[in-house]
Amino acid sequence: MSTGPPKHEMQYFPNMINAMPSESAEFRRVLWTGLYSQVVLMTVPVGGDIGDEVHTVDQALTFTSGVGKATINGKDQDVKAGDLMVVPAGTQHQFVNTGPTPLILYTIYSPAEHDPRTVHKTKEEGDEEEEAGKDEAPKWSRQSQSENEKAGLVNTSGKY
């Protein structure tokens, strides 16, 4: 997987809502990283959680399998396959798997939160890499629109 800015090509992920696997071997896998957003697949094991955290980016989570409990800024909400939860930047959040099967979701960060090559088999592995500074979003994913235009990464004509 590339660590450079994305090519100007379509990225297609068919059946993300209704055909996601009911099990995955990985806690977190980055599927795609763009200039202003990132798509990440997550699997929370039975009895597991994502960790009580606050991001400096917006996050939208779509649940595709399982059931859980979301706690957003102290308010609890049950979540299940088909639900969408939005967490604004700077907001405390925690998601816990409360069901008998893995809680699977994909999340869209805006801008990116992780290294484009990120694959964490466990939450503990992800925590270790984040604490060690090994799972950082690329600089180009945190630039302003004008910086990306000046760098030639965005051309408003759409032709490259």
Side-chain angles (χ1 to χ4, degrees):
M1 179 172 286
S2 172
T3 59
K7 295 179 181 177
H8 297 276
E9 300 172 345
M10 173 178 41
Q11 297 296 310
Y12 179 60
F13 304 98
N15 298 316
M16 287 289 285
I17 300 287
N18 57 12
M20 290 294 292
S22 60
E23 291 189 33
S24 173
E26 299 150 350
F27 174 72
R28 177 184 297 123
R29 175 182 284 277
V30 172
L31 299 177
W32 180 82
T33 303
L35 293 177
Y36 307 112
S37 61
Q38 183 175 61
V39 181
V40 177
L41 178 63
M42 295 187 72
T43 300
V44 183
V46 173
D49 64 74
I50 66 163
D52 193 11
E53 56 189 6
V54 176
H55 296 302
T56 59
V57 302
D58 292 327
Q59 186 176 13
L61 305 96
T62 300
F63 298 87
T64 63
S65 181
V67 294
K69 180 179 82 171
T71 302
I72 311 295
N73 202 21
K75 183 179 177 187
D76 292 338
Q77 174 66 53
D78 290 333
V79 293
K80 64 186 180 320
D83 289 352
L84 170 69
M85 178 72 65
V86 176
V87 180
T91 304
Q92 174 275 333
H93 59 282
Q94 165 68 297
F95 295 90
V96 178
N97 183 343
T98 59
T101 61
L103 178 63
I104 300 178
L105 62 104
Y106 65 89
T107 183
I108 299 174
Y109 294 102
S110 182
E113 178 70 7
H114 299 283
D115 183 299
R117 300 164 295 183
T118 292
V119 176
H120 296 140
K121 292 194 183 298
T122 65
K123 177 183 177 301
E124 293 75 22
E125 180 184 359
D127 290 346
E128 287 174 15
E129 286 195 11
E130 287 178 9
E131 288 172 21
K134 295 179 181 177
D135 185 26
E136 301 294 322
K139 183 180 179 203
W140 52 259
S141 72
R142 297 292 183 104
Q143 295 180 152
S144 70
Q145 183 177 354
S146 63
E147 288 173 305
N148 284 332
E149 287 174 359
K150 286 178 189 171
L153 299 175
V154 176
N155 181 338
T156 56
S157 75
K159 302 200 184 327
Y160 295 91

